Amino acid sequence: DGGITQSPKYLFRKEGQNVTLSCEQNLNHDAMYWYRQDPGQGLRLIYYSQIVNDFQKGDIAEGYSVSREKKESFPLTVTSAQKNPTAFYLCASSMKEGARAGAFFGQGTRLTVV
Amino acid sequence: AQTVTQSQPEMSVQEAETVTLSCTYDTSESNYYLFWYKQPPSRQMILVIRQEAYKQQNATENRFSVNFQKAAKSFSLKISDSQLGDTAMYFCAFMIYGNQFYFGTGTSLTVIP
């Protein structure tokens, strides 16, 4: 079945560590997105990518980094520079030419700083 | 700047009744797409309904329908015959072609038995 897979579902990070969240899709979608979700703040865009080897910062990119070496994969690294990383992270993808279909989401990763 | 506003943080409705969730947005673009997403306690985002801005006819999907007022930049969601499984967070969103999705802050809907 086609879809988006995020892993791990739960992730714990120690202070000062970098961690990488995985996002893989087999929908042949061109565009991929990373969102952060905090209570009462909805979904805030961290980074997005429309094509391989290209990505743009979203509203809250500071302390995060991404890569898009393959169409199917869009990993997100939460660096030690992100001062408050505890949150729920959602990855999504969409067709570049068919935005009317909307974005498809993974099941999310819950990151907790310990 | 593109913004989406959901002015109702929380709502409740009796089972089998009808409820309307409000959404307004701001954009200078004329061609865009509008969406309502549902996020149940599992936190999986599910597309409920979508509307293309150039279409005047309001979209419907079974018990879900929208009231799209382009001039007023309003995009409300009506849920008829509410069911317990409709309990969730609902997010309004829009997308300009070739650009990112913009989401509102969500409305938490509780269906009361």
Side-chain angles (χ1 to χ4, degrees):
Chain A
D1 288 336
I4 301 178
T5 302
Q6 287 186 244
S7 61
K9 189 172 183 180
Y10 299 97
L11 186 58
F12 298 90
R13 191 194 93 168
K14 293 182 179 180
E15 296 276 357
Q17 275 186 340
N18 293 354
V19 291
T20 298
L21 283 60
S22 171
C23 180
E24 303 276 336
Q25 55 98 358
N26 60 5
L27 299 166
N28 199 32
H29 284 173
D30 296 292
M32 297 187 74
Y33 314 81
W34 274 106
Y35 290 92
R36 171 176 170 146
Q37 186 175 18
D38 296 283
Q41 297 196 49
L43 276 66
R44 294 185 291 167
L45 183 68
I46 304 172
Y47 272 97
Y48 67 106
S49 168
Q50 299 284 359
I51 57 173
V52 174
N53 292 323
D54 189 44
F55 46 83
Q56 288 76 42
K57 292 182 179 180
D59 300 320
I60 56 166
E62 185 175 354
Y64 300 97
S65 65
V66 294
S67 63
R68 187 86 187 276
E69 297 177 359
K70 299 186 299 181
K71 188 175 184 178
E72 302 78 17
S73 179
F74 192 42
L76 173 73
T77 297
V78 184
T79 74
S80 57
Q82 171 50 237
K83 298 307 179 186
N84 185 23
T86 294
F88 187 67
Y89 292 86
L90 282 164
C91 179
S93 69
S94 71
M95 291 185 287
K96 184 178 180 181
E97 299 297 331
R100 65 188 66 184
F104 292 77
F105 285 82
Q107 293 187 309
T109 294
R110 175 70 185 176
L111 174 63
T112 304
V113 174
V114 296
Chain B
Q2 330 291 340
T3 60
V4 181
T5 301
Q6 294 180 250
S7 59
Q8 306 152 313
E10 296 181 359
M11 295 189 71
S12 61
V13 62
Q14 291 290 138
E15 192 174 8
E17 297 295 311
T18 296
V19 64
T20 298
L21 281 58
S22 300
C23 174
T24 58
Y25 59 93
D26 190 21
T27 180
S28 58
E29 301 290 332
S30 57
N31 294 318
Y32 47 89
Y33 306 99
L34 294 156
F35 309 91
W36 277 98
Y37 282 87
K38 169 185 177 180
Q39 187 181 43
S42 68
R43 307 200 78 170
Q44 175 69 56
M45 293 284 282
I46 302 165
L47 179 62
V48 174
I49 197 167
R50 56 178 176 252
Q51 172 84 40
E52 294 166 4
Y54 65 86
K55 289 187 176 179
Q56 292 186 342
Q57 185 174 4
N58 289 324
T60 61
E61 287 287 343
N62 300 313
R63 298 183 294 107
F64 299 88
S65 62
V66 298
N67 183 6
F68 175 46
Q69 303 289 329
K70 190 171 184 178
K73 296 181 180 175
S74 171
F75 183 61
S76 61
L77 174 70
K78 185 172 80 172
I79 306 174
S80 304
D81 185 26
S82 296
Q83 300 175 0
L84 297 179
D86 295 333
T87 292
M89 282 289 288
Y90 287 82
F91 292 97
C92 177
F94 81 93
M95 182 186 191
I96 301 165
Y97 175 76
N99 207 314
Q100 57 172 300
F101 287 83
Y102 298 88
F103 286 86
T105 53
T107 295
S108 177
L109 176 67
T110 301
V111 179
I112 303 167

